[in-house]
Amino acid sequence: MEEEIDTRKINNSFLRDHSYATEADIISTVEFNPTGELLATGDKGGRVVIFQREQESKNQPHRRGEYNVYSTFQSHEPEFDYLKSLEIEEKINKIRWIPQQNAAYFLLSTNDKTVKLWKVSERDKRPEGYNLKDEDGRLRDPCTITTLRVPAFRPMDLMVEATPRRVFSNAHTYHINSISVNSDYETYMSADDLRINLWNLEITNRSFNIVDIKPANMEELTEVITAAEFHPHHCNTFVYSSSKGTIRLCDMRSSALCDQHAKFFEEPEDPSNRSFFSEIISSISDVKFSHSGKYIMTRDYLTIKVWDLNMENRPVETYQVHDYLRSKLCSLYENDCIFDKFECVWNGSDSVIMTGSYNNFFRMFDRNTKRDVTLEASRENSKPRAILKPRKVCVGGKRRKDEISVDSLDFSKKILHTAWHPSENIITVAATNNLYIFQDKVN
């Protein structure tokens, strides 16, 4: 963000045809891999689509950073739990990449119940010259084999294969809302409404329960786990957020079951703002460590808060995402929008944060200059390489020409899922069934 914050331009948008968009096409998660060369999306139909960044060419420098489809595969299928008479959706809740160790890529994807480890690899050679089989793969008659051949690898068209390497199942009674890979790259955790489990990436038949907030009597249940994440550098530390707006930092060195937190972050509520909706809008929908590991960012319905790990009693920064909706909470409750779960992301240097809103708006906040901007991801405004114009929402009074009234916002268009390239100013925004990729204006 060295340049003006609003001089972003579209470099590519992966747009599916509106006339064919179905419920299954709605994007449910987006995630860059640790180098930013690949971008994965999951959708409600259980599919994972991976995009690969184009290599920079001298002839077309403006194409730098364009992402094209690299691989598409079906990760999860709909299932039926016969014991509980429950349908299990195929929708992909989260994707997390595992840092690359060799030529292949690995990622974890999860639906409500099952986590899968996928290997995505390239093949551009195939073995030829088998002794016992002919070129079509049929077994040869042993009587006809008179000479021994040495099989050889021959070039072939590049093929990208996705294969499931591990399936981690039967460990969650409730719906999985988060997965997070540990900084040791050997373990990861999966969190549902009441429990968090720790897995070894090599072991599928056993996991360790590290948090359990299920009360003995379910009628005494007052909160649920909404998100969880490992610290980026300390493999023993993780945080999880709750529907009561609290964040707990746990240390796995203290005990095997982390029911006692090491730190407890909560902002006391302002009594003057208390209303019927207070508890609902204080529920945290996403929690993210900064890349430095010094801060935690949380997103609730109306705000983003940044917490210093060394200060538990209040956040160091609070950003209003769409405060103009405070007067609309009643109608948002009636149409269930108040339960929408917005995600939030840091840029690579932890200086800017981004989150989504309604009307296909997304918001960026510069932590250093305290400037913020509202941008819109829509097919009408998003021609390739066009500069995005900042949008403004007006509340009551006279509306200027370039403003949009809070009463005309479209609540069916919402940006819940966003991702930021780990080192560059490239962002991706999922708007229903469309994926938009924007980058800083270059030259």
Side-chain angles (χ1 to χ4, degrees), residues 146-420:
T146 54
T147 57
L148 281 178
R149 295 189 289 178
V150 178
F153 277 105
R154 300 260 182 271
M156 60 178 262
D157 290 341
L158 180 69
M159 232 173 77
V160 180
E161 295 178 315
T163 47
R165 298 305 300 268
R166 309 262 186 285
V167 178
F168 306 89
S169 54
N170 304 326
H172 286 277
T173 313
Y174 308 97
H175 293 173
I176 297 172
N177 55 45
S178 306
I179 48 176
S180 178
V181 180
N182 202 345
S183 58
D184 61 10
Y185 306 150
E186 288 181 17
T187 54
Y188 78 92
M189 68 178 171
S190 54
D192 66 24
D193 294 345
L194 298 179
R195 296 191 179 104
I196 299 175
N197 292 335
L198 180 71
W199 300 82
N200 187 304
L201 283 163
E202 300 293 326
I203 301 167
T204 58
N205 60 356
R206 180 170 78 242
S207 66
F208 298 96
N209 181 222
I210 51 174
V211 171
D212 187 349
I213 64 165
K214 184 180 179 183
N217 179 3
M218 280 295 271
E219 287 175 7
E220 294 166 11
L221 182 68
T222 57
E223 62 181 335
V224 294
I225 297 166
T226 55
E229 190 177 62
F230 269 119
H231 190 284
H233 313 304
H234 304 312
C235 60
N236 52 282
T237 311
F238 66 92
V239 292
Y240 68 91
S241 58
S242 86
S243 55
K244 271 194 164 175
T246 61
I247 309 113
R248 291 171 175 83
L249 180 90
C250 300
D251 188 337
M252 291 192 289
R253 294 172 302 186
S254 58
S255 67
L257 191 63
C258 300
D259 284 359
Q260 299 300 315
H261 47 263
K263 292 192 174 183
F264 182 75
F265 301 85
E266 183 179 28
E267 184 174 29
E269 191 190 11
D270 180 357
S272 62
N273 280 343
R274 178 105 193 120
S275 73
F276 169 75
F277 304 108
S278 294
E279 279 193 15
I280 302 173
I281 63 172
S282 66
S283 174
I284 292 172
S285 54
D286 196 16
V287 60
K288 292 268 171 60
F289 272 106
S290 62
H291 296 84
S292 66
K294 293 179 183 173
Y295 299 97
I296 310 169
M297 168 169 60
T298 58
R299 169 75 209 258
D300 58 39
Y301 191 65
L302 294 177
T303 65
I304 278 188
K305 292 172 180 159
V306 176
W307 303 77
D308 188 315
L309 280 191
N310 297 319
M311 193 165 94
E312 299 168 58
N313 58 343
R314 61 187 172 84
V316 287
E317 297 156 33
T318 300
Y319 300 97
Q320 300 296 336
V321 178
H322 37 217
D323 203 47
Y324 46 79
L325 294 182
R326 216 174 267 281
S327 60
K328 296 245 172 286
L329 292 177
C330 199
S331 53
L332 289 163
Y333 178 74
E334 285 167 4
N335 64 14
D336 278 353
C337 283
I338 201 166
F339 302 107
D340 285 334
K341 292 176 169 52
F342 292 96
E343 294 171 8
C344 52
V345 287
W346 301 87
N347 73 337
S349 61
D350 298 335
S351 60
V352 184
I353 54 186
M354 173 173 67
T355 191
S357 179
Y358 293 104
N359 210 67
N360 279 356
F361 289 170
F362 57 99
R363 306 267 285 130
M364 288 178 169
F365 302 93
D366 190 313
R367 298 178 58 211
N368 300 327
T369 63
K370 298 299 180 224
R371 291 173 62 203
D372 64 271
V373 67
T374 303
L375 300 169
E376 182 181 6
S378 76
R379 293 169 75 93
E380 294 73 43
N381 306 351
S382 302
K383 295 183 174 64
R385 277 172 282 286
I387 291 176
L388 288 186
K389 292 184 172 61
R391 302 301 307 263
K392 283 201 167 53
V393 177
C394 98
V395 187
K398 276 187 137 180
R399 184 166 68 88
R400 291 206 189 116
K401 185 167 77 81
D402 58 343
E403 290 184 334
I404 180 166
S405 160
V406 67
D407 296 315
S408 55
L409 293 174
D410 186 344
F411 292 109
S412 66
K413 293 178 176 173
K414 54 191 92 167
I415 288 177
L416 304 176
H417 315 288
T418 57
W420 203 306

